[in-house]
Amino acid sequence: TASEPLLEVRDLEAWYGESHVLHGVSLDVREGETITILGRNGAGKTTTLRSIIGIVRKRKGVITLRGQDLLALPQHKVARAGLGYVPEERGIFASLSVDENLSLPPKIADGGMSIADIYRIFPNLEERRNSPGTKLSGGEQQMLAIARILRTGARVLLLDEPTEGLAPVIVQRIGELIRTLKTQGYTIVLVEQNFRFAAKLADRFFVMEDGRVVDTFATTELSARMGSLHEYLGV
Ligand code: ATP
């Protein structure tokens, strides 16, 4: 049914070597929904995304996509299942042009977005199509990183702090872009420190602290949660 989670994480634990970082993360996203993971630096937000996608291999718990167990899959098969990850450091090819960056990712799942469609929703990237990655602004690099993931055919997008370090006007552009993807039915997991930005996009919030989800609420409850959020986030 429509209310069943598309992606579900239950009691996820994760380690870097001997260092136990996640202590039981549970969250879920329904198809077409946008959720936001909030939390202070070091709370485990990035590690949660890296564990879902399989970069962090030392994990325990349950991660399913459409009921399929992701924990058992090698990383390339997770991508093929339709999950795409845009890391905070963006991961574009700096020496290659926008066009080349968009031509490289293989179509690893069905329904990868065409370059023409990419340029329709990222007109500024088309203007810069022959520029190398190094010449792009931070906002353009972020958009290119997202565009590359759309090329792969991923329908579930894990975005790690896409607004980090960007000017307010660019943050707004990224917000419009995420809203466009949402209307196109993409399912989005957004890690974000800026909850005012996230409030305009997210359906629900999950708050992390010390490697656990300590609170979850619908965006409609955000204003009522401001007090406890300030406590969790130290803002
Ligand atoms: P930030 O906003 O700073 O990225 P975060 O909530 O995403 O914070 P994580 O990056 O997931 O937090 O970090 C969770 C914990 O894991 C922190 O204590 C961090 O120091 C530790 N950690 C992160 N990466 C590694 C690593 N490669 N090796 C060892 N420990 C790490």
Side-chain angles (χ1 to χ4, degrees):
T1 70
S3 62
E4 261 173 39
L6 177 66
L7 174 68
E8 185 170 21
V9 174
R10 219 163 51 231
D11 303 324
L12 176 66
E13 299 185 46
W15 290 259
Y16 291 110
E18 294 300 302
S19 176
H20 193 178
V21 173
L22 299 185
H23 302 275
V25 173
S26 296
L27 55 85
D28 61 279
V29 203
R30 292 185 280 266
E31 186 150 23
E33 193 179 32
T34 297
I35 64 159
T36 292
I37 305 175
L38 295 170
R40 293 186 204 225
N41 288 337
K45 307 180 297 296
T46 297
T47 305
T48 298
L49 298 190
R50 291 165 57 97
S51 299
I52 293 171
I53 208 80
I55 298 170
V56 172
R57 299 299 305 177
K58 203 170 172 189
R59 305 161 294 167
K60 198 174 102 181
V62 178
I63 306 174
T64 58
L65 182 69
R66 295 183 204 283
Q68 184 186 14
D69 177 14
L70 293 186
L71 223 57
L73 295 184
Q75 216 183 313
H76 68 278
K77 290 210 172 144
V78 173
R80 205 169 293 157
L83 215 54
Y85 171 51
V86 181
E88 202 174 340
E89 63 277 11
R90 291 168 192 153
I92 59 169
F93 295 104
S95 60
L96 301 183
S97 72
V98 169
D99 258 350
E100 288 165 337
N101 266 283
L102 292 177
S103 303
L104 278 177
K107 268 199 177 181
I108 50 187
D110 289 336
M113 200 181 276
S114 69
I115 294 187
D117 282 343
I118 295 271
Y119 284 149
R120 245 189 297 284
I121 62 171
F122 300 86
N124 57 319
L125 285 184
E126 184 167 27
E127 284 166 29
R128 309 281 274 135
R129 63 190 302 166
N130 297 315
S131 303
T134 47
K135 290 277 158 59
L136 302 178
S137 70
E140 288 165 340
Q141 288 180 6
Q142 182 62 54
M143 290 182 202
L144 181 55
I146 296 172
R148 291 188 73 239
I149 294 304
L150 298 175
R151 290 283 291 142
T152 68
R155 295 295 299 176
V156 181
L157 312 177
L158 311 180
L159 308 180
D160 198 351
E161 300 207 36
T163 68
E164 170 85 28
L166 302 180
V169 58
I170 309 300
V171 168
Q172 205 176 322
R173 294 281 294 280
I174 302 275
E176 286 159 15
L177 169 66
I178 293 173
R179 211 163 298 127
T180 300
L181 296 176
K182 212 177 150 171
T183 62
Q184 294 190 8
Y186 285 88
T187 304
I188 299 169
V189 178
L190 182 66
V191 163
E192 197 41 81
Q193 306 262 22
N194 181 346
F195 61 82
R196 288 172 217 286
F197 167 80
K200 296 183 196 129
L201 305 165
D203 300 297
R204 288 185 296 142
F205 283 90
F206 292 83
V207 184
M208 286 190 67
E209 199 172 58
D210 297 330
R212 292 179 182 82
V213 171
V214 293
D215 198 7
T216 175
F217 53 88
T219 302
T220 49
E221 302 169 75
L222 181 66
S223 55
R225 296 301 182 104
M226 278 306 181
S228 61
L229 270 184
H230 283 285
E231 213 167 287
Y232 290 131
L233 303 176
V235 289

